[in-house]
Amino acid sequence: SQQGEEDPQALSIQEGENATMNCSYKTSINNLQWYRQNSGRGLVHLILIRSNEREKHSGRLRVTLDTSKKSSSLLITASRAADTASYFCATDANGTASKLTFGTGTRLQVTL
Amino acid sequence: GAGVSQSPRYKVAKRGQDVALRCDPISGHVSLFWYQQALGQGPEFLTYFQNEAQLDKSGLPSDRFFAERPEGSVSTLKIQRTQQEDSAVYLCASSLGTGAEKLFFGSGTQLSVL
């Protein structure tokens, strides 16, 4: 079963704009991760934020975490066509260190 | 190798056939995971190995699914008597440490059961 849900399910923006994706989850966690998946490929790890962190940056990525609302957001600034992909959040539901539970994903389309 | 390698890339099986999917993780990675991804969905956990020990197989959908990693490196996911609902992409991932942090994924095996 899916632990989280991403919102929106699909997002279409123009190159240069910012893209914001949200993730909600159901149980307590130790950390939350974001992954990107290009069509027909495996997932690529983007960033990990721990439950005691509220915000984290990596290049053009900014992730926030609100454990009281059980939600996270991923912001991609100054988007590029190469950012076109599906984005998934993943949590170690209930702190189970051995597996990640993925959300349903947001499909991002960046057009020129 | 440079990344996680999975073979075959595509597999077509007739219903009732047995299939074996192979995963070569990144050298030295302790943890290995198998996930199943249905079209348009996120990956769903199948099983987890720490070295050669299968520590969690709670996600395997039935006793037709079996995974092994006998020498703590290469892993094989075997599906016996395949059924149409087994059609999906099977993803393998590995991580350096003992937890599910920063997973490196292979490109997957797309299984189609006719």
Side-chain angles (χ1 to χ4, degrees):
Chain A
S1 61
Q2 308 284 173
Q3 149 81 319
E5 285 191 11
E6 279 89 341
D7 166 51
Q9 287 189 329
L11 179 61
S12 183
I13 60 174
Q14 291 192 316
E15 203 170 48
E17 293 181 334
N18 296 341
T20 299
M21 289 159 268
N22 302 296
C23 165
S24 60
Y25 57 92
K26 299 172 186 173
T27 67
S28 62
I29 61 172
N30 288 323
N31 65 67
L32 184 145
Q33 302 176 54
W34 285 91
Y35 286 80
R36 183 187 75 225
Q37 185 176 36
N38 291 85
S39 180
R41 308 293 295 177
L43 286 79
V44 175
H45 178 268
L46 295 176
I47 196 166
L48 179 151
I49 186 166
R50 301 201 182 277
S51 59
N52 61 353
E53 297 175 307
R54 290 297 167 258
E55 187 171 312
K56 202 163 183 179
H57 297 254
S58 176
R60 294 185 296 113
L61 305 180
R62 173 178 163 247
V63 169
T64 63
L65 179 63
D66 186 334
T67 53
S68 67
K69 295 181 180 178
K70 291 187 170 56
S71 67
S72 174
S73 68
L74 171 67
L75 168 67
I76 304 174
T77 60
S79 63
R80 305 166 181 168
D83 295 328
T84 295
S86 291
Y87 291 81
F88 295 91
C89 67
T91 59
D92 55 345
N94 287 319
T96 52
S98 63
K99 67 183 179 186
L100 292 180
T101 306
F102 285 84
T104 51
T106 292
R107 290 181 299 281
L108 174 65
Q109 176 77 43
V110 182
T111 56
L112 297 172
Chain B
V4 178
S5 177
Q6 291 188 247
S7 61
R9 186 74 176 88
Y10 302 94
K11 177 68 179 177
V12 178
K14 291 182 180 178
R15 191 170 50 186
Q17 268 187 325
D18 297 349
V19 298
L21 313 180
R22 177 188 169 102
C23 173
D24 271 284
I26 293 173
S27 178
H29 275 199
V30 169
S31 296
L32 185 144
F33 308 82
W34 283 98
Y35 281 82
Q36 180 190 60
Q37 187 175 24
L39 190 63
Q41 298 294 312
E44 296 221 7
F45 172 83
L46 293 177
T47 188
Y48 162 64
F49 290 86
Q50 186 177 119
N51 295 309
E52 69 278 4
Q54 188 175 21
L55 298 186
D56 189 340
K57 54 182 181 179
S58 61
L60 296 177
S62 76
D63 58 8
R64 296 185 297 103
F65 287 70
F66 172 76
E68 61 183 3
R69 193 187 185 198
E71 296 177 359
S73 178
V74 171
S75 177
T76 304
L77 176 67
K78 297 178 180 177
I79 309 173
Q80 297 177 323
R81 304 180 304 281
T82 53
Q83 300 177 5
Q84 283 189 322
E85 59 261 32
D86 299 335
S87 296
V89 175
Y90 291 85
L91 295 165
C92 176
S94 67
S95 68
L96 183 61
T98 57
E101 293 189 3
K102 195 174 182 181
L103 269 57
F104 292 81
F105 280 83
S107 295
T109 293
Q110 185 170 327
L111 173 65
S112 299
V113 182
L114 306 178

